[in-house]
Amino acid sequence: MSTTHQGLQRTKPGGWMVRHRWIAAMVFALVPVFCTAAASAASQLMHADETTAALMIAGGAAVSAGVGVTVMMMLPSGLRRPGFGAPRRGRAALWFVPLLVTVMVVFATQGMKASGPPLIAYGVLAMSVAVNEEVWFRGANLTVLRGGGIRAAIIGSSALFAVLHLANLAGGEDLPAALLQLAFAALFGIAAAEVTVLSGSLWPAIMWHTAWDFANYAGGNSTTTLALTGIGIACCLILAYALVMWAAATTPEREQPLTAQCADRIPS
């Protein structure tokens, strides 16, 4: 057995045992930010047009997502971790409906301002970013932090997700807008973590994240009164969802780690 840095310890055969979960979580949180920031910087240096820049950032996010999937596969099989399978319980579809409504509100109030190649590029970007961030934050981070309890895992992974959005300040975003985005990202992260815990799958959060980002990209991230009203309504819906689903997502049985023998028999 050999020891590595960043709070992880290599075990045989081919797995990782988390020694310092919060250090590992912070390191995990930096990877997707670094990869997308590097791709964004490269697109600016190349003076890429809107479509090319979106595709370059999508490429950086895809690379990061690939690394994230590899990390998740190397985490101990005994941890209760989400995957890419279908939701384990049919009720997960009902849990997902309120989140889809928030996207419909954004589409209805922002409209569709992009078209042609940029719209396609935004679709690719939205999917790449969603997979990337969900793999790292609702996948790897939520998994390693569950050792400290499900409540701490949901809040901790969401807090890291929110704080890392302050990187937008480096892209020229003003402080008030960045702080509002931080608050929204924390709320978004809690709701996404809850649906991931409840469904046992990353797909519901990935689908919601993709649709949400695409709706905002396609609408030009509009700041009209109508668009901001729509965002406000969507935030209220997400908050209500997070409050209602908190009790279901933090039941005592969800605190218990899985073992290889009981991994397929998760309490509902």
Side-chain angles (χ1 to χ4, degrees), residues 14-215:
W16 296 89
M17 181 177 66
V18 180
R19 299 182 63 196
H20 305 294
R21 66 178 69 92
W22 284 102
I23 294 177
M26 287 187 283
V27 172
F28 290 166
L30 290 172
V31 177
V33 175
F34 173 80
C35 290
T36 53
S40 178
S43 70
Q44 293 179 36
L45 290 173
M46 294 175 60
H47 303 288
D49 59 31
E50 182 180 12
T51 300
T52 303
L55 292 176
M56 289 180 67
I57 297 171
V63 170
S64 175
V67 175
V69 171
T70 301
V71 168
M72 283 188 63
M73 291 175 62
M74 298 179 73
L75 290 173
S77 59
L79 293 179
R80 185 191 292 261
R81 56 183 176 181
F84 288 96
R88 295 189 179 101
R89 290 170 293 281
R91 282 182 297 169
L94 297 177
W95 298 329
F96 191 38
V97 169
L99 303 182
L100 294 179
V101 172
T102 66
V103 177
M104 294 170 62
V105 170
V106 173
F107 267 121
T109 55
Q110 290 198 26
M112 186 79 71
K113 296 180 174 62
S115 62
L119 185 63
I120 296 173
Y122 284 146
V124 174
L125 176 61
M127 173 59 83
S128 298
V129 169
V131 173
N132 178 34
E133 293 185 349
E134 294 309 316
V135 163
W136 284 106
F137 290 98
R138 261 64 70 180
N141 268 351
L142 188 63
T143 298
V144 298
L145 292 178
R146 287 184 83 153
I150 189 61
R151 293 175 178 83
I154 291 174
I155 294 174
S157 61
S158 302
L160 288 171
F161 180 65
V163 169
L164 268 296
H165 276 75
L166 289 178
N168 292 327
L169 287 170
E173 191 168 32
D174 59 273
L175 182 60
L179 292 177
L180 284 175
Q181 189 172 43
L182 180 147
F184 173 76
L187 178 60
F188 186 101
I190 289 173
E194 288 174 345
V195 76
T196 300
V197 169
L198 289 167
S199 66
S201 172
L202 288 170
W203 284 118
I206 288 174
M207 291 171 61
W208 178 40
H209 199 152
T210 299
W212 178 272
D213 281 357
F214 180 72

